[in-house]
Amino acid sequence: MIGQPPAESALLGEPKTAPAPSVLWKAFRVLEVFSHGRRVLTLAQIVRRSGLPKSTAHRVLAMLVEVGAVEQHRDGYRMGLRMFTLGAMPPEVALRDAALVHLEELHRVTGQTLHLAIVREGNSVYLEKLRSRRCAPSPAVVGGRLPAHCTAIGKAVLAFSEDRVVAGALAGPLERRTAHSMTSADGVREQLAAIRRDGFAVDREEAVEGLACVAVPVLFQDRAVAAVSVGFASSAGTGRVLVNALRQTAGAISRSLLSCSAGHLLTSGE
């Protein structure tokens, strides 16, 4: 504020100290230790994985239990049903609901593993996964994240996103998940230019060895709000024969978004 004198610490040249973590921050540290593979955790496991002192973790857990965000289980703690209720409110859930009938039809036709994902903070965030009867290996799980630059589905979204979204995704060192992962920001930008030209993205063993994917963006007002991909064994070919079917599915999802508010909310919150 104009006219307000500087703080005494600034006058004395003392270093600024970071504010102590808030209770809300600590609560999210606790909630984030749960996952698909760790649905029930003991207090000791929560302390170890959250990095919080035992007394702090116990106090935060008590508050989370009181509001229903976490429930006590005979073997420890688990995520509470209230989190499921709150989690059903974001527009991404409406996007998934609009897409599911079209994904199921594509799954029936192809028999391959299908994914629906968005991009947030440089990661592909998976909203749905329909598994293949052929069981092609896929590291994606619903609610899970993979680096967008390593996945066809993430690159399909980035290619049709605003420049600031792309810049954020490519800032800093890019993770190398396999020997085939692209870790050069300039190289990824070249890939994105080709995806804009061709209308689809591919990756061959960039996220996991042995798996290839082809993806097409789901567009709303010429911007990608999500993408759909087919995953298959890399030894099975290029997957380009699946592009037309993917385009039809992505187009059907885009049209479904016109009848609900999810598309507008997703583009405005990008």
Side-chain angles (χ1 to χ4, degrees):
M1 182 181 297
I2 295 176
Q4 181 176 343
E8 182 178 358
S9 59
L11 289 172
L12 296 175
E14 296 176 1
K16 296 180 180 179
T17 58
S22 67
V23 173
L24 181 61
W25 180 89
K26 294 171 185 174
F28 272 94
R29 283 291 297 270
V30 169
L31 292 172
E32 287 173 349
V33 302
F34 294 92
S35 69
H36 288 272
R38 303 182 302 213
R39 295 181 186 272
V40 179
L41 297 172
T42 65
L43 175 60
Q45 290 172 322
I46 292 170
V47 168
R48 184 169 65 253
R49 289 167 174 158
S50 69
L52 296 173
K54 183 177 181 179
S55 59
T56 300
H58 189 269
R59 185 171 65 253
V60 170
L61 280 166
M63 290 188 291
L64 291 172
V65 168
E66 185 175 353
V67 299
V70 169
E71 296 175 357
Q72 286 190 289
H73 185 269
R74 64 178 180 273
D75 297 323
Y77 297 88
R78 67 181 182 186
M79 198 72 75
L81 187 60
R82 189 172 187 183
M83 296 301 292
F84 175 82
T85 303
L86 295 173
M89 296 181 186
E92 289 80 6
V93 177
L95 165 62
R96 175 193 172 275
D97 290 343
L100 191 54
V101 64
H102 307 297
L103 293 174
E104 288 173 341
E105 176 60 19
L106 181 61
H107 190 250
R108 184 187 66 80
V109 171
T110 65
Q112 300 288 355
T113 299
L114 303 184
H115 307 99
L116 174 72
I118 59 174
V119 169
R120 291 292 183 272
E121 300 174 347
N123 292 297
S124 301
V125 182
Y126 290 84
L127 305 182
E128 186 55 86
K129 176 180 180 179
L130 301 182
R131 289 174 175 80
S132 168
R133 293 183 293 273
R134 300 173 178 83
C135 298
S138 170
V141 295
V142 175
R145 296 176 176 237
L146 289 172
H149 69 278
C150 291
T151 64
I153 205 165
K155 290 186 286 187
V157 174
L158 289 176
F160 293 87
S161 296
E162 293 182 339
D163 290 344
R164 64 180 178 83
V165 176
V166 176
L170 301 184
L174 300 182
E175 180 181 346
R176 180 185 295 278
R177 288 184 57 87
T178 74
H180 304 279
S181 301
M182 175 69 71
T183 58
S184 162
D186 289 341
V188 175
R189 289 182 188 278
E190 290 180 6
Q191 289 184 342
L192 298 184
I195 294 166
R196 282 191 293 274
R197 181 191 68 231
D198 299 335
F200 66 92
V202 299
D203 86 66
R204 296 192 63 79
E205 303 186 6
E206 294 176 45
V208 64
E209 297 287 350
L211 180 70
C213 287
V214 178
V216 168
V218 176
L219 301 178
F220 186 84
Q221 297 178 344
D222 298 324
R223 290 168 59 188
V225 295
V228 181
S229 76
V230 178
F232 51 93
S234 58
S235 59
T238 66
R240 296 199 176 199
V241 68
L242 300 166
V243 170
N244 284 338
L246 277 168
R247 284 176 172 155
Q248 292 173 7
T249 299
I253 296 171
S254 297
R255 290 189 293 274
S256 295
L257 291 177
L258 292 173
S259 62
C260 66
S261 62
H264 292 286
L265 291 171
L266 288 163
T267 53
S268 64
E270 195 174 64

